[in-house]
Amino acid sequence: MPYKILSLVVILCAFTASAQAGNGNNEESLTKVKTTKAIRTPQAPVLDGVLETEVWQTVAPATNFVRYDPLNGKPSSQKTEVYMLYDNDAVYIGAQLYDTAPDSILTQLGERDSGENNSDLFGVYLDTYNDKQNAFAFLVSAAGVQTDIKISQGSEDRNWDAVWASSVKRHDKGWTVEMRIPYGAIRFPKAEVQTWGVNYMRIIRRTREKSYWNHVDNSVSGFVNQEGRAIGIESIESPVRLQFTPYVSGYVNHFPSNVEGKSNYSHSINGGMDVKYGINDAFTLDVTLIPDFGQTQSDNQVLNLSPFEVKFAENRQFFTEGTELFNKAGLFYSRRIGGTPLLYSSARTYINEGETLEENPNLSSLINAAKVSGRTRKGLGIGIFNAVTRNMFAKAKNEEGETREILTDPATNYNVFVLDQTLRNNSYITFTNTNVTRSQGFYDANVSSIKARFADRSNTYAVSAGSNVSQLFGYKGEDLTLGHQYNISLAKISGNFLYSLNHNVESDKYNINDLGYLQSNNEVSTSAQVNYNFYQPIWKFLSWSNRLSINHSMLYAPREFANWSFGGGHNIKFRSFTSAYFNWSVRPTDAYDYFEARMFPQVQVFIRPAAFDANIGISTDYRRRLAVDASLGHWESHDRNQSDWWGSFSPRFRVNDKLLLVNGNNYSTNHHSIGFISNISDKELNKKYIVFADREIKTLTTTLTGAYIFNERTGLTLNMRHYWSRAENNSFYDLQKDGSILPRTASHDSDKARFKDINLNYFNIDLVYSWRFAPGSELRVVWKNAIQERNNTVSPLYFENLSRTIQAPQNNNFSVKLLYFIDYIAIKNVLSA
């Protein structure tokens, strides 16, 4: 049945493709490329928000902006003029943003890199290599808040930080922007005459209008490939890009361990440095020496009852900034570096009789990390990443007070190497290698990948393919464990009607988890999807997208059926700028789950009954002082009386242009959720049992985030989260070899005593004051509060549970960190003055 449906989808896609061959609209939009000319200025502009006539009007402005959203393709409602100048040190952008209602310009303050707040916005996108795939973006709001973004082949790196200057000023004709972007902040080819790709963007927030100087057609795949050109830039050179950011930090920590002879307080003072060096005009070396990540935002911990590892977000700046090249193949999960030691969970098995485990660090210690990245004039991107962690030890103590060390993680070297060649028509081919080399006789890991994408000249159709090979050396006693993965995708990527066909294969020994993240391997999956999108207003909608999809999966070894499903979705933006969505899916037959039993590499199936689910959501207009995001979903099986409900309600209140509060509430209930709980052995019968439980699981997550921004350089932010999850066991089953479950013969009371209920709470507060007192320099003061409370008595009442959580032992951490940016060129200019 699934294959017949897939065949029907393929025939439908082929018919539609032939009917729409030679998509003239795409071809036309790609050929309309505007050109602006930059002029060398003998006098650098003074950044005060005033466009001096004698400086800026020596060059013709870029004008006639075109709307992107709403009413894509229509002229902008307001006049905009943008000027580009340059000298030996920097490129300068001046923008006159006329407004017929200057008193209505919105100016909400936000953190740096917060992007589109409730404020008017202006931005410039510089594709300095003119390759139509990569760009540097510099944006500034009408409140003066800066945002910078590095764009690489469709992905945005908002963690990329450059040092540049800007100034804004409101007046009776609208507002103006001045920018100074030093050459040290960007990269460009070594050439006498430069031709850069460029686009300018303007957002008029009160009407939700976004427009670009060079038209960006929202029915065409890609953004940078729809840019204009900047000519006239000549005789410029990349400066010596040598920058230092030393830091000093101090921490005071309190946790009521109440151990005799050990203080509840601890403190530390740290120092280190980040170094950035431009090897040449294209390549940059970034090094972090003795890094300090103590002020990183707290993880959103959860109760994990699944057979898969929880993937946490990366919040450490060195691993989030400028890493888009290393992440392209999907093989680099940077939380592996400095993560949980290999033998952390099994450290207790290494203690002797009469010993206790005194210490067991849960994070490895990073010594240093470095990365080199860049792109040649011919479009070859090269990236090298390397990091080293030290030996980690647990500490055991015997009855005489003697201690000894237990190695839980050896000194390890992590390496990523990437070659990425951009091709015409928004295409590319990429090679990636990741390697983990451990000392002390532990196993090593290596993964190699090739990935390619080819699009046609009109940017209407694309084919993508990739293949990975994983190697483990000395893993579980084997000299070599070899695995592989490959995938292919055929898609129509532009126009109202879109489709894609996808096929992915992962062998049973494919393993990238030493430096990557993969929930499960041993899978063969095939999927197809069709979309029809309305990009222009229709009826009461500003835009409307629709999706239908079908999915089929099976094991790689042995080739056993797993499941198949089909579903759809609809996303709507109303003319009131309220957005809504509706998604649904159906699994019409039983699914065969080969992972829930936790028996890998043995194949043990668990049969899940046929099911369906649906969810809806709404997001109101954020321009309003009070806006709301809300959703509701339901899942139900065709057997066993299993059902899930989940919902969210998140009001956001903008008190004024400085203070914003957002409250998030997410609740889910899983009724008769059946899943793995334990493996047990009966020694008398010489038999092993895989025990499953029928549970009632209820989870409530409440968050409060707030920001009080004093000005464009200083702000106070709050992140508070309470996570409460309860798992109550109703009944117990033994999993049978055929995948069915039967009630256990053991008494219910004895199983209830053995398999405990779970009542788990995580409570975190992150309060951060930041002051960017100089370009690239910052003072951060952070208070972090963390509580983890877990017991086996399920509490039915929220406030009773919250009270018990607040009374649990709390970890309080207070820290101050000072970073100071030092630029070699600035020092040289001062000394030579």
Side-chain angles (χ1 to χ4, degrees), residues 288 293 314 316-321 323 327 332 334 337 366 369 371 385 387:
T288 181
F293 302 121
E314 177 61 89
R316 300 171 296 179
Q317 184 175 354
F318 183 84
F319 294 100
T320 59
E321 180 185 351
T323 57
N327 287 320
F332 182 43
S334 56
I337 303 170
L366 179 64
K371 54 192 175 187
F385 176 96

Side-chain angles (χ1 to χ4, degrees), residues 115-154:
E116 298 182 21
N117 289 310
N118 198 51
S119 175
D120 283 29
L121 194 69
F122 171 80
V124 56
Y125 298 82
L126 300 176
D127 173 10
T128 51
Y129 285 86
N130 199 29
D131 62 9
K132 311 297 182 184
Q133 297 190 45
N134 303 280
F136 303 96
F138 302 89
L139 295 77
V140 63
S141 74
V145 179
Q146 291 183 347
T147 296
D148 37 33
I149 308 168
K150 193 175 183 182
I151 303 172
S152 179
Q153 298 170 342

Side-chain angles (χ1 to χ4, degrees), residues 35 43 270 586:
T35 300
Q43 177 184 354
N270 309 304
V586 176

Side-chain angles (χ1 to χ4, degrees), residues 756-770:
K756 306 292 187 181
D757 297 338
I758 300 173
N759 192 93
L760 177 65
N761 288 270
Y762 290 106
F763 188 92
N764 293 92
I765 299 175
D766 289 33
L767 184 65
V768 181
Y769 169 79
S770 63

